[in-house]
Amino acid sequence: MLRLLRLVWLVLLAGPVLAQAPVLLRGQVLDAETHQPIPNAQVGVADNRIGTSTNDDGRFALSIPAALLDERLEVALLGYRKYTRALPPLPGPELRIELKISPAALGEVQVTGSVLGIVREAVARIPRNYPVRPTQLTGFYRESDNDPAGQPRYLAEGLVLAFKESYTKRTAEGDIQIKQSRKVDLRRDRTPIRIDWAGGPFIAHMGDFVHRRSDFIDPAHFKDYDYRLAPGSTFQDRPVYVITFGPKAGTRRAAFEGRMYIEQDSYAFLGAEWHYTAAGLNRGARDIADSRALRVAYQLYAGRWHLKTVWWQTEAKLPVGPPLKFFGEFLTTAIDTAQTPRPGYTERAQLYDVFLRNTVAYDSAFWKGHTTLLPPAAVQKILFDQKRQQQADSLFKPSAEAGTDPQQKQLSAFDRFLKRFSYGWHLGAWPLAVPAAGLAVAYAPAGYGLQMQRTAPVRAQDLTVFVQFEYQYALTKELAVRLATQRLHRQFKGDGWEAGLSYEHNFNPGHRPLYGRAGLGYLRQTVGLPLGTFDNPDSGLRVAGTHLSADELSARIQTVSDALRPSLGLGLELSHKFELVADASYLVPLRRKTQLQVDEESGFFLFRSSATVDLPSADVDLRVNDQPTTRLPWQQQPWLLSIGLRYRVR
């Protein structure tokens, strides 16, 4: 009897817990006439408080919290009537939902000057129709990349927060915070190629054509576009103007072509679908896309229109490797209109982060209480085949090695190397004290017919400019090995190199990093004054043991200095990729010598030779202000200042 009472008590305790557990709703969306699956349809519950979209097979899975089981289900897509019904009893069988084509609301295609007036009015009403205060969108992001055969290379998904500024401010920027993510590598051959689509989740901002005032709704570009009123339809059961846009005849300034949907009553932009023209693809020097298409929709919440979905597809033929097809989708599932503080620096994703490079593997139960974004059937088959192959491998490999892949290990090692690698550019002031002087150089090597004579005035200056290119490899989080090359400019020319160690410590953890920098390097630098070119009358000429047979030679007089270079400085992280640095260095001289350098100027450049003659030399007569000397008139000073930009590969 006691055991029975305990069992009843446990059931009573578990009842409320079970009742609060989310229930899974599954369904498939089909075209009512063709009965074909409809991909990318928007599925929402409780006025889109939660939602997802259909995959390539028209299927979806939505995790419904107990508190929303009495709400209504909505399915919508541009060109179709919105489907709505009460949620069925759950759990239950897969729903079969058929969408009907939305009938045209307007007549024949027209060309009229008033069409542009509709667009102008919609732009003017943006402050009335869209948020004027910052808002935060919770949404799901999904991206994949297909090979030429249409097979996906990978699938990556995430739960993200998109922070939006007021729509009265024109911007394509905003903050993205990744709350959860998962990924799966679907390449059959496991070839260790690099996939570098950057800024994927930022399509929630870059695709928001109303917020960024894309060219086709920008009054400054109206002159480049031809606007036409097309047969209209309804959008979310609202009558709309359907306006097509494209380049005017004879112009190459229009970047886009497509159609937009404007509500007839409020003149709000409810959505648009467009692709880039050839001019649009060529506009950005960094854009390697061969084609790009977008589809964007908005939803009404609390009297304002907010971003609902962004669908983005890019195709590119890379210089090396097969062509790629990138697909990205953002779907809003919750809207916060309160004064939500924008996420701190450390919580924000960066535009150039590659979303695929997260550490979380694909797991069908990853989202738990969140919406499940179903992969299409082709992806599910590849996942099943991979899992089956891993199980087979585990039967023949030791447990410690089961599931490993030599190529994947090679890729991981390469990734680890890149994560530690950075390079940068620096512009600095090289401390060179130079008084005005007259410099005369004569060179007549014994036994040869060469006669070099040149008088060169030296202008007074306090410093010269140098440009430095550096490579850095991190040994630890704060200590790195550094190798740099540098070149002088202005009156003097010269090349140099430096090798050493660099140390950085973050003074501002938890926020935008501010680094204290210290370094120590060994430096060799050449400072030279060009003397011009000379004819070589002797094809057998040898200078310091080097054969110089070219018909034309050049010469310069130079100093070569070795020094230790301790430095102190600051670094400010501009993004996860870029860091602004400033350093002050002190040069501790070790040795210095004066040379005459002779270079071949004619002939095939890969086989040109050069030679140096150390001073003093019996063959070289060096005079400064008509006085014989072995020292040049410029003097290197100890302090050196530089400012630069460092780029991290990862």
Side-chain angles (χ1 to χ4, degrees):
M1 185 64 181
L2 181 59
R3 289 182 179 179
L4 180 59
L5 290 175
R6 287 178 178 176
L7 180 59
V8 172
W9 177 249
L10 290 175
V11 171
L12 291 175
L13 288 177
V17 176
L18 294 174
Q20 295 176 6
V23 184
L24 193 63
L25 169 68
R26 292 181 177 272
Q28 185 179 27
V29 181
L30 306 171
D31 187 291
E33 294 183 5
T34 66
H35 303 293
Q36 294 298 310
I38 299 178
N40 305 315
Q42 302 156 27
V43 182
V45 171
D47 293 327
N48 294 307
R49 286 174 59 187
I50 61 171
T52 185
S53 62
T54 57
N55 65 10
D56 291 347
D57 309 311
R59 285 188 159 85
F60 67 91
L62 195 58
S63 186
I64 311 294
L68 301 181
L69 291 176
D70 294 331
E71 298 288 346
R72 298 188 67 80
L73 170 69
E74 294 181 358
V75 182
L77 184 65
L78 284 175
Y80 288 90
R81 290 178 178 175
K82 183 169 66 174
Y83 174 92
T84 179
R85 60 160 292 179
L87 282 172
L90 296 176
E94 181 181 69
L95 288 181
R96 179 184 173 92
I97 298 172
E98 295 186 346
L99 296 186
K100 297 180 179 180
I101 297 292
S102 181
L106 301 177
E108 296 296 326
V109 176
Q110 304 174 46
V111 181
T112 172
S114 63
V115 177
L116 181 56
I118 296 173
V119 181
R120 289 185 182 276
E121 183 65 20
V123 173
R125 295 198 190 187
I126 288 177
R128 186 186 307 178
N129 289 322
Y130 297 86
V132 296
R133 298 188 305 175
T135 56
Q136 181 175 275
L137 307 180
T138 301
F140 288 105
Y141 174 73
R142 170 172 54 193
E143 69 175 46
S144 64
D145 183 270
N146 295 340
D147 63 19
Q151 293 295 328
R153 297 176 186 270
Y154 72 90
L155 179 68
E157 300 169 318
L159 175 67
V160 302
L161 301 180
F163 183 88
K164 291 277 187 181
E165 295 283 359
S166 166
Y167 275 70
T168 59
K169 177 182 178 181
R170 174 179 181 172
T171 179
E173 299 178 355
D175 296 327
I176 291 291
Q177 184 178 0
I178 299 174
K179 302 296 290 184
Q180 290 179 282
S181 62
R182 63 179 178 182
K183 67 174 182 181
V184 60
D185 193 336
L186 301 170
R187 292 168 291 164
R188 296 180 184 274
D189 57 0
R190 310 294 290 168
T191 304
I193 62 172
R194 288 175 55 80
I195 302 173
D196 286 318
W197 297 110
F202 282 81
I203 67 172
H205 299 301
M206 295 185 292
D208 190 345
F209 73 92
V210 175
H211 210 169
R212 69 183 303 174
R213 310 295 198 273
S214 293
D215 284 5
F216 55 86
I217 63 167
D218 182 0
H221 292 275
F222 283 162
K223 63 182 181 297
D224 302 326
Y225 286 91
D226 183 26
Y227 298 91
R228 294 172 180 264
L229 195 61
S233 64
T234 59
F235 181 90
Q236 298 183 1
D237 294 337
R238 297 171 181 269
V240 295
Y241 298 110
V242 180
I243 297 178
T244 63
F245 55 88
K248 280 187 176 178
T251 183
R252 297 183 178 180
R253 293 186 297 270
F256 309 112
E257 184 174 12
R259 63 175 57 202
M260 53 185 148
Y261 303 85
I262 300 175
E263 188 181 30
Q264 294 183 17
D265 295 332
S266 66
Y267 285 86
F269 294 103
L270 305 191
E273 49 196 29
W274 71 94
H275 63 267
Y276 280 59
T277 63
L281 292 172
N282 294 331
R283 178 171 296 180
R286 296 175 299 175
D287 201 331
I288 60 172
D290 294 301
S291 68
R292 175 168 291 163
L294 291 90
R295 184 166 62 243
V296 177
Y298 297 84
Q299 63 179 330
L300 188 64
Y301 177 77
R304 301 278 175 166
W305 289 90
H306 302 260
L307 184 71
K308 174 62 176 177
T309 60
V310 178
W311 179 90
W312 183 300
Q313 182 170 291
T314 296
E315 296 185 25
K317 295 179 181 177
L318 303 181
V320 179
L324 303 176
K325 180 183 289 186
F326 171 82
F327 169 79
E329 179 184 25
F330 175 84
L331 172 69
T332 299
T333 59
I335 301 171
D336 184 359
T337 58
Q339 293 298 311
T340 305
R342 64 191 306 163
Y345 176 83
T346 55
E347 290 81 29
R348 298 199 298 264
Q350 298 286 338
L351 178 62
Y352 291 100
D353 292 342
V354 177
F355 188 60
L356 176 62
R357 298 185 192 139
N358 61 71
T359 58
V360 181
Y362 194 92
D363 179 4
S364 60
F366 180 78
W367 297 121
K368 298 179 181 178
H370 296 298
T371 298
T372 300
L373 294 174
L374 290 180
V379 176
Q380 295 185 52
K381 183 178 183 302
I382 297 175
L383 289 172
F384 177 76
D385 291 343
Q386 285 187 356
K387 185 176 181 180
R388 185 171 54 184
Q389 184 63 45
Q390 290 173 358
Q391 291 173 345
D393 291 343
S394 66
L395 297 176
F396 302 99
K397 295 181 180 181
S399 58
E401 298 180 1
T404 59
D405 187 324
Q407 289 183 326
Q408 189 66 19
K409 291 172 68 176
Q410 175 186 347
L411 178 62
S412 299
F414 183 58
D415 283 350
R416 287 195 298 270
F417 170 79
L418 288 179
K419 190 173 183 179
R420 293 172 175 262
F421 185 71
S422 64
Y423 58 89
W425 301 264
H426 295 259
L427 178 67
W430 189 265
L432 200 65
V434 184
L439 180 67
V441 181
Y443 176 51
Y448 301 100
L450 179 66
Q451 296 285 334
M452 286 187 178
Q453 291 186 346
R454 189 58 53 92
T455 299
V458 180
R459 301 189 305 272
Q461 68 180 62
D462 295 325
L463 55 86
T464 192
V465 175
F466 77 92
V467 175
Q468 184 181 77
F469 188 83
E470 73 166 12
Y471 303 90
Q472 194 162 292
Y473 182 77
L475 300 175
T476 68
K477 187 177 181 180
E478 297 182 327
L479 185 65
V481 177
R482 179 173 175 270
L483 178 65
T485 60
Q486 55 196 33
R487 173 165 293 185
L488 301 186
H489 296 272
R490 294 186 66 191
Q491 179 180 198
F492 297 94
K493 309 296 181 183
D495 297 313
W497 58 267
E498 180 184 0
L501 297 173
S502 177
Y503 176 82
E504 280 192 339
H505 177 72
N506 185 10
F507 291 137
N508 196 29
H511 301 281
R512 183 182 297 273
L514 177 64
Y515 297 101
R517 293 165 50 87
L520 179 63
Y522 182 89
L523 172 72
R524 171 167 290 182
Q525 180 63 46
T526 299
V527 180
L529 186 66
L531 300 175
T533 58
F534 304 86
D535 292 331
N536 180 13
D538 196 332
S539 60
L541 174 67
R542 286 187 174 275
V543 176
T546 301
H547 184 206
L548 302 178
S549 60
D551 295 333
E552 187 179 38
L553 305 175
S554 66
R556 70 176 180 181
I557 194 75
Q558 65 188 22
T559 60
V560 180
S561 303
D562 292 341
L564 291 177
R565 182 185 174 186
S567 62
L568 292 173
L570 292 174
L572 177 65
E573 185 170 300
L574 304 179
S575 72
H576 290 171
K577 294 287 188 181
F578 291 96
E579 178 185 347
L580 182 67
V581 297
D583 294 308
S585 307
Y586 189 86
L587 300 179
V588 181
L590 298 178
R591 62 185 64 87
R592 184 174 184 264
K593 57 184 177 182
T594 305
Q595 296 176 330
L596 175 70
Q597 178 168 311
V598 183
D599 301 311
E600 291 185 325
E601 289 297 319
S602 59
F604 189 53
F605 69 95
L606 290 177
F607 298 100
R608 294 178 187 176
S609 300
S610 64
T612 56
V613 179
D614 293 334
L615 302 184
S617 170
D619 297 333
V620 180
D621 180 29
L622 175 63
R623 295 175 179 269
V624 175
N625 296 329
D626 293 328
Q627 299 298 316
T629 183
T630 59
R631 297 185 63 85
L632 295 173
W634 52 85
Q635 184 65 40
Q636 183 172 288
Q637 300 300 306
W639 289 102
L640 185 153
L641 301 175
S642 68
I643 186 170
L645 193 65
R646 190 156 70 94
Y647 174 81
R648 301 182 185 91
V649 177
R650 284 291 184 92

